[in-house]
Amino acid sequence: MATRDEAIQAIKDYPSIDKKIHDRREEILAPYNPFEDENIGSGRAQNIRNESLEHSVERLEMDPVLSYLYTEEKAVANVLKQCVKKGVRSMLDDATAVIIDEFYFEEIRKHDAVGIGRMVGLSKTRVYARKDAFIEAVRKELSKTGQKRENIAK
């Protein structure tokens, strides 16, 4: 069961999640080993099957950090897809997407809760309610997988 803090961290990580996934994939596919030197010894055997591609794919599929990064990305993206323009106001609509963008995705916050409320036509209390509803929806999405952030060493 994912916690609220894990959901908030997933939301904060979302703008840079593609870079984190890319970096982790590169780390798995080309691990740094300062003491590996293939020029010492008799070299490689010429008559054996090269299984390096299979091993690389297996390492990518079995990596818990990469798996959790994909889970975070999918959870936040799924909830953001729910934040679309609707005929009636709901807790997850286009105003919620603006609120989350201002609170978490902007590098430099330009507005506080009152300013965001003015932008979307809501009170400060309703802005925080929408933000909390979004966080709760992301928490539920993360809980579907059963993975925990603290089990992952970043």
Side-chain angles (χ1 to χ4, degrees), residues 6-146:
E6 289 172 343
I8 290 171
Q9 191 59 48
I11 296 166
K12 287 180 179 178
D13 288 347
Y14 187 73
S16 63
I17 197 83
D18 287 333
K19 182 179 179 346
K20 288 182 180 186
I21 288 171
H22 176 268
D23 291 348
R24 183 62 185 174
R25 287 178 58 90
E26 287 299 313
E27 187 178 313
I28 292 168
L29 293 175
Y32 176 70
N33 188 353
F35 302 110
E36 184 176 316
D37 188 0
E38 294 178 358
N39 294 322
I40 297 175
S42 61
R44 295 183 185 177
Q46 298 295 322
N47 59 353
I48 62 168
R49 183 171 172 244
N50 186 355
E51 296 179 349
S52 62
L53 180 62
E54 289 90 355
H55 293 302
S56 297
V57 170
E58 184 178 333
R59 284 194 311 261
L60 286 173
E61 291 294 320
M62 301 303 292
D63 186 58
V65 174
L66 191 60
S67 174
Y68 191 78
L69 289 172
Y70 282 130
T71 301
E72 279 186 347
E73 180 182 39
K74 184 178 175 187
V76 176
N78 285 344
V79 178
L80 278 174
K81 286 179 189 173
Q82 297 173 24
C83 297
V84 294
K85 193 167 186 108
K86 299 177 182 173
V88 283
R89 289 240 175 188
S90 70
M91 291 306 270
L92 294 176
D93 61 5
D94 56 335
T96 306
V98 172
I99 292 167
I100 295 304
D101 185 56
E102 286 292 326
F103 269 113
Y104 295 109
F105 298 162
E106 290 291 327
E107 285 188 30
I108 300 172
R109 282 184 55 183
K110 301 173 198 147
H111 305 286
D112 61 353
V114 176
I116 296 169
R118 285 190 195 119
M119 286 173 38
V120 295
L122 296 170
S123 69
K124 179 175 119 175
T125 306
R126 298 309 307 158
V127 167
Y128 281 118
R130 298 280 179 98
K131 181 179 116 175
D132 290 341
F134 186 87
I135 292 169
E136 181 61 21
V138 171
R139 189 195 64 76
K140 285 180 182 176
E141 285 287 324
L142 286 173
S143 294
K144 288 180 182 178
T145 65

